Amino acid sequence: MKRKQFLKSLALLPLIGSTMHLRDLNKMTSNMSNTGKMPVLFLGHGSPMNAIEENEFVEGFRTIGRSLQKPNAILCVSAHWETRGTFVTAMNNPKTIHDFGGFPQALFDVEYPAPGSPDLALETQKLITKTHVELDHKWGLDHGAWSVIKHLYPNADVPVIQMSIDYSKPGRHHYELAQELNSLRHKGVLIIGSGNMVHNLRKVAWNKLHENYAFEWATEANETMKKHILNGDHQKLIDFKSQGTAFDLAIPTPEHYIPMLYALGLKDENETVRLFNDKAVGGSLTMTSFIAG
């Protein structure tokens, strides 16, 4: 779209109205200039304690962070922001949300002061036609986002926005919605899904939290998921509710699984997938993560 046409279309958006000055428009268009294509990530975030502990999973996040070119911005779909409808954070300075309990004070003391990006929020809203997207000014960055992004970019110098998960929609909706965001990858935006492929807190073996231990059903589900991911068989992963007992136990509720569908929806057909942090925790959780690009 030519610059003149783009500015004209922006003028029609009621959310911009007469308050946006020419310098704001210039800033928006310059920020959306094309760059090298960014990969897409799915990160198994696990316990909030991964934000402050030193372990192999944290090192896995850091290693991936070092392998990436620095993005212009990050869009994160976190398991911990469920809404009815779809929202994107649009504030300049998102707060660090400590959305958990029962952990050491040191974890509550962590702040991740990354800036937001109202421009990226507006561009995300414009790209999505599958559903109406609301701009949010109240949420911030929950631990599904900051606890892992802080290891990728510890200086908190990359703007971050979050997009919520509409809990009323099926897997196919989320997969197709993700596809509408693909052009952002060509504009320097790193898109991250943050959750866990296998996530059943009710069945955690608390006495094995520090072991690489998985129940048989968790291993079966994780191995099957990985096979479908590597083979590009996304349909079975989209239809996760029809894949048998192991999947039912691995995904008792879908909020930690759905961010993976966003990452798969954003993967182009000719792109390769590389797995990392592929281990189980506490019997009923897996930290399996992947990068596609």
Side-chain angles (χ1 to χ4, degrees):
M1 183 181 291
K2 293 181 179 179
R3 179 179 173 83
K4 184 176 179 181
Q5 294 172 310
F6 179 65
L7 296 179
K8 184 177 179 181
S9 67
L10 283 179
L12 298 177
L13 292 174
L15 285 167
I16 296 177
S18 61
T19 61
M20 179 170 279
H21 301 292
L22 182 60
R23 68 173 184 275
D24 300 313
L25 293 172
N26 289 337
K27 179 183 176 184
M28 178 181 283
T29 53
S30 66
N31 284 350
M32 292 192 300
S33 60
N34 287 350
T35 66
K37 185 179 180 183
M38 294 297 296
V40 59
L41 292 176
F42 172 72
L43 301 180
H45 65 240
S47 167
M49 288 298 291
N50 287 320
I52 59 173
E53 289 184 339
E54 291 295 328
N55 56 48
E56 61 184 305
F57 306 122
V58 167
E59 185 52 39
F61 299 143
R62 290 175 181 156
T63 299
I64 286 295
R66 289 191 291 267
S67 75
L68 300 173
Q69 64 172 314
K70 189 175 181 179
N72 293 331
I74 294 169
L75 188 158
C76 183
V77 179
S78 163
H80 293 280
W81 192 21
E82 292 184 273
T83 56
R84 188 168 187 89
T86 302
F87 296 78
V88 291
T89 55
M91 67 286 288
N92 285 308
N93 301 108
K95 63 186 176 184
T96 303
I97 303 173
H98 300 91
D99 51 333
F100 40 71
F103 290 95
Q105 184 59 43
L107 185 58
F108 290 91
D109 292 339
V110 175
E111 295 290 327
Y112 189 71
S117 177
D119 292 348
L120 178 57
L122 282 168
E123 173 68 352
T124 301
Q125 183 189 53
K126 180 172 71 76
L127 283 173
I128 294 173
T129 61
K130 187 172 182 63
T131 190
H132 176 66
V133 177
E134 295 277 357
L135 300 183
D136 173 86
H137 295 88
K138 296 180 180 179
W139 188 247
L141 302 180
D142 60 53
H143 82 270
W146 63 261
S147 72
V148 288
I149 294 174
K150 74 182 291 289
H151 297 303
L152 301 178
Y153 303 103
N155 294 328
D157 55 354
V158 178
V160 182
I161 72 168
Q162 280 195 230
M163 188 167 72
S164 71
I165 294 172
D166 184 346
Y167 62 79
S168 70
K169 301 298 185 183
R172 168 62 62 181
H173 170 90
H174 297 287
Y175 182 86
E176 292 178 350
L177 192 155
Q179 292 176 321
E180 295 191 315
L181 299 173
N182 194 281
S183 64
L184 293 178
R185 295 181 59 195
H186 296 269
K187 298 177 180 179
V189 178
L190 176 63
I191 303 178
I192 299 173
S194 177
N196 291 97
M197 284 164 50
V198 175
H199 185 270
N200 191 330
L201 291 182
R202 292 185 178 182
K203 294 189 177 295
V204 169
W206 297 105
N207 62 331
K208 296 182 181 292
L209 277 181
H210 300 291
E211 300 178 31
N212 179 22
Y213 171 76
F215 295 115
E216 288 184 8
W217 56 263
T219 297
E220 178 186 342
N222 202 60
E223 291 301 315
T224 302
M225 290 174 190
K226 290 190 298 182
K227 181 183 73 172
H228 294 328
I229 290 168
L230 295 174
N231 291 342
D233 190 355
H234 295 178
Q235 188 56 51
K236 287 188 175 69
L237 295 165
I238 292 167
D239 297 332
F240 61 91
K241 291 185 177 180
S242 304
Q243 301 306 313
T245 301
F247 269 57
D248 291 342
L249 288 168
I251 315 166
T253 56
E255 76 286 341
H256 277 75
Y257 180 86
I258 284 173
M260 185 190 71
L261 295 182
Y262 277 86
L264 292 179
L266 282 154
K267 175 190 172 295
D268 289 338
E269 205 168 301
N270 62 343
E271 291 180 318
T272 58
V273 174
R274 180 163 66 87
L275 300 169
F276 62 98
N277 283 0
D278 184 24
K279 289 192 176 180
V281 175
S284 64
L285 305 170
T286 59
M287 295 292 291
T288 307
S289 305
F290 63 79
I291 181 170

